[in-house]
Amino acid sequence: MEHRYDIRDWLPTSVKEVRARGWEELDVILFSGDAYVDHPSFGAAVIGRLLEAEGLRVAIVPQPNWRDDLRDFKKLGRPRLFFGVSAGSMDSMVNHYTANKRLRSDDAYTPGGKAGFRPDYAVTVYSRILKQLFPDVPVVIGGIEASLRRFAHYDYWSDSIKPSVLVDSGADLLAYGMGDRVVVDIARTLNNGFNLHLLRKLNQVAFLADEKYVASLGEAPIRLHAFETCLKNKQAFGENFVRIETESNRMESRTLVEPVGDRYVVVNPPYPKLTEAELDHSFDLPYTRLPHPRYRDKGAIPAYEMIKFSVNLHRGCFGGCSFCTISVHQGKFVSSRSERSILKEVERVTKQPDFKGYISDLGGPSANMYRMGGRDERLCRKCSRPSCLHPSPCRNLNNDHTPLIELYRKATKIKGVKKAFIGSGIRYDLFEPDRDAYLREVIVNHVSGRLKVAPEHTEDGVLKLMRKPSFSLFEDLNRRFHRICAEEGLNYQLIPYFISSHPGCTEQDMQRLSEKVRRLNFRLEQVQDLTPTPMTLSSVMFYTGVNPYTGEKVYVARTQEEKRRQKSYFFTWKKETPYLSRSVKIAKNRSRSR
C-alpha cells in the first residue's frame, strides 16, 4: 500500500506549516541555498533531522529571496537558539560558474534546474542579512562553502586571496566538516543560554577572537602567517596551506590560529570520525526521501533525480587527490555504516513512489572504501599523510573488499530489488590483493553497460601533482576489464574521466594524453577543465605556481585561452576541434626549440 504523506512529515518551511505542528516558537531556523529535499544526501535535511531528534523545533528556509524586501528572512521570526546558514551542497561559485568563469544556465539543486535562485558567495550574503535583521541572534555557518573558506583562501573567481568567510559574513560561529556531532553540541550549549566561553571550547568550530583570548591559549595552537602577509607573499600562503592540510589529516590535531587585521581566526581541532552507531543514527532518521511538496508542478530537481534511488555506505575518503574537496570536508578517515542500517535503507527505497527495482548507486565518496582503514590504529595516530594511496598504498591499510562484496549480494536479495548499480567512482588502485574478485563482481552484477573510473591524466609528472597513480595501472585495468567481459560474454565499456589544465600540465602533456587514449581506442567525453576550488592543493599551486611541499615551480595554464587549448586535446577524434591544429603546431615548435 502506498504511503500517504502529510505536510508534517517534512520539516516546516512556512508560517502555515509551523502552525500546523502547533508551534508558537522555533528553536532553530536553517537557511539553505538548495531546494529542500528531505533526503540523507542533502545537508540541510540531515542537520534539521538531527536537531529534531534532540527534541528541538526546527524549520528550513530554502533558497530565500535576497533581492526583494527580505520577507523570506523575516517570515519565521527569530529562533530561540540560532540561525544556521549553508550555501547548499556545493560552493555557490562552483555552482554558478564554469571552469572558464562563464555563468551556468542551470542549477541542479533547484526545481526545473533553473539558475538564479541563490547569490554568489551565498553564505556571506545570507549571514549579513540575518545579522542586519536580527543582530542579537547567533548565526552559525556551515556546509561545504563555509568549510572550504574557513581560513584565508584563494578565490578563483575573483583571482584573489580572500580572508576567512567569518570576516566577510559577520557570522558568530563556523561549524566545519560534516555537522552531525558539532551542530548538536552547539544546540545543547545554546540551550542553556548564550555562553561564548563554552562555544569556543567545542571541537570542529571556528570563530574570530581578540589577542587576549589567543594569548590565553598559550603555546598550544599552531600560529599561521597573517592574512595580510599572505596577500603580499605567495610563499607564506603556501606554507599556511601545508600546515592546515597536515593538521587536518592527523587523528589528533592542534588548534590553528590565523591573524587577520586586529583579530584572529581560531579553528579548533575536528572530532574523531563518527562511530558506526553515530553514522547509523544520522541515516536512520525519518526522512521522507522526497522533495518538499512546495515544489509540486515546478519541475524535477536534477540533483535529487540522480540520487533518489541511491544509498550511501560510508563517509570520508583517504585518496587525498590534490583537486578534491572530499577529504577536506568529510575527512580522511572512513566511517562506515552497519549492514543493518544500509539494508534497512535499501528496503525503504524499494517502497518509494516510482521505484522500478533498480538501486542507482550503492556507494560513497569513493565507491569501494567501505570498512577500510588502518589495520593498526596506533600507526594511524602517528601519521599525517594526506593520502593513504599516494605515492604508494600504505602498508598498514586494510583494503579487503570482502565485506563490500557480501553487502552487495545481500542488498540484491532484498525483495523488490532487481539490480543494484555502482554509480560512485571506483578506486582501482585499491584492488590489490583481491586482483579480479571485486572487479568481476562489479562488472558482472553491478554495471549497466558502462564502468566509470578516473585516471585523470596519462603523464606521470602531472599525476604526481594530482596525487593519482601511474597511468600504467589504468592500462592494466583496461586489459583486465576487457578480459573479464570476454569471459562473461558482456559487451561493456570502460569510461575514463580526465582533467585538463591541472598545475604542472603543459600542452605537450595534453598532446601525449590525446595520443595515448587514442591508441587505446577511447573517444573521450567524460572530461573537465580544472576549477581550482578553495583549500585544495591544486588551487594553491594554481595561484602560486609552486608546489608548497617541495618549493618546486610548476607550469600553470592560467589564461582562459590556454585552458581552452588544453581542453581541446580531449576531442581529437572530432572534426570540429577549434584549437587543435594551432595547438599541435605550438607544442611541436616549442619542443623543437628546446
Side-chain angles (χ1 to χ4, degrees), residues 469-481:
S470 170
F471 189 64
S472 61
L473 207 60
F474 171 79
E475 292 175 306
D476 180 58
L477 171 71
N478 187 44
R479 288 189 291 270
R480 291 157 65 184
F481 175 85

Side-chain angles (χ1 to χ4, degrees), residues 34-47:
D34 292 342
Y36 171 32
V37 179
D38 193 39
H39 188 286
S41 292
F42 289 75
V46 176
I47 296 302

Side-chain angles (χ1 to χ4, degrees), residues 428-470:
Y428 52 86
D429 47 350
L430 273 173
F431 286 177
E432 301 294 344
D434 296 304
R435 288 298 290 175
D436 290 345
Y438 177 74
L439 181 60
R440 186 179 295 274
E441 172 69 22
V442 170
I443 293 172
V444 174
N445 297 314
H446 308 287
V447 173
S448 60
R450 308 177 104 198
L451 177 63
K452 298 176 182 179
V453 294
E456 309 295 10
H457 213 282
T458 61
E459 303 309 291
D460 284 342
V462 181
L463 290 166
K464 182 179 179 181
L465 292 170
M466 289 179 164
R467 293 179 180 153
K468 295 289 287 186
S470 170

Side-chain angles (χ1 to χ4, degrees), residues 283-298:
F283 279 91
D284 291 347
L285 294 168
Y287 306 97
T288 64
R289 298 184 63 92
L290 298 169
H292 190 278
R294 66 189 283 149
Y295 306 120
R296 195 171 291 137
D297 302 324
K298 292 187 178 180

Side-chain angles (χ1 to χ4, degrees), residues 447-592:
V447 173
S448 60
R450 308 177 104 198
L451 177 63
K452 298 176 182 179
V453 294
E456 309 295 10
H457 213 282
T458 61
E459 303 309 291
D460 284 342
V462 181
L463 290 166
K464 182 179 179 181
L465 292 170
M466 289 179 164
R467 293 179 180 153
K468 295 289 287 186
S470 170
F471 189 64
S472 61
L473 207 60
F474 171 79
E475 292 175 306
D476 180 58
L477 171 71
N478 187 44
R479 288 189 291 270
R480 291 157 65 184
F481 175 85
H482 288 293
R483 174 177 55 76
I484 292 171
C485 286
E487 290 171 357
E488 300 290 342
L490 301 170
N491 186 24
Y492 287 174
Q493 289 180 292
L494 188 64
I495 307 296
Y497 284 74
F498 288 94
I499 294 177
S500 58
S501 303
H502 190 275
C505 179
T506 65
E507 280 193 48
Q508 288 173 301
D509 289 320
M510 290 304 298
Q511 185 180 358
R512 287 191 285 267
L513 181 154
S514 177
E515 292 168 352
K516 287 181 180 179
V517 297
R518 193 165 61 245
R519 284 200 298 269
L520 292 172
N521 297 314
F522 285 106
R523 292 190 170 191
L524 300 184
E525 295 180 2
Q526 302 292 334
V527 298
Q528 62 176 322
D529 199 42
L530 176 76
T531 298
T533 47
M535 215 168 143
T536 60
L537 175 59
S538 298
S539 72
V540 173
M541 292 191 291
F542 182 90
Y543 170 68
T544 64
V546 172
N547 180 342
Y549 281 92
T550 65
E552 171 194 7
K553 290 185 177 180
V554 295
Y555 170 78
V556 177
R558 202 175 298 281
T559 68
Q560 296 306 318
E561 176 69 12
E562 288 175 295
K563 287 168 75 68
R564 280 191 289 267
R565 284 206 302 265
Q566 285 214 14
K567 192 173 182 180
S568 72
Y569 282 93
F570 289 136
F571 307 110
T572 56
W573 56 275
K574 291 185 176 181
K575 293 181 181 179
E576 64 275 13
T577 307
Y579 295 97
L580 182 61
S581 58
R582 179 172 50 172
S583 301
V584 172
K585 290 176 183 177
I586 291 171
K588 287 183 177 178
N589 289 337
R590 282 179 179 171
S591 62
R592 287 170 185 160

Side-chain angles (χ1 to χ4, degrees), residues 204-221:
Q204 215 161 305
V205 299
F207 49 88
L208 289 172
D210 59 18
E211 188 172 353
K212 181 179 178 181
Y213 175 83
V214 172
S216 72
L217 298 175
E219 300 299 317

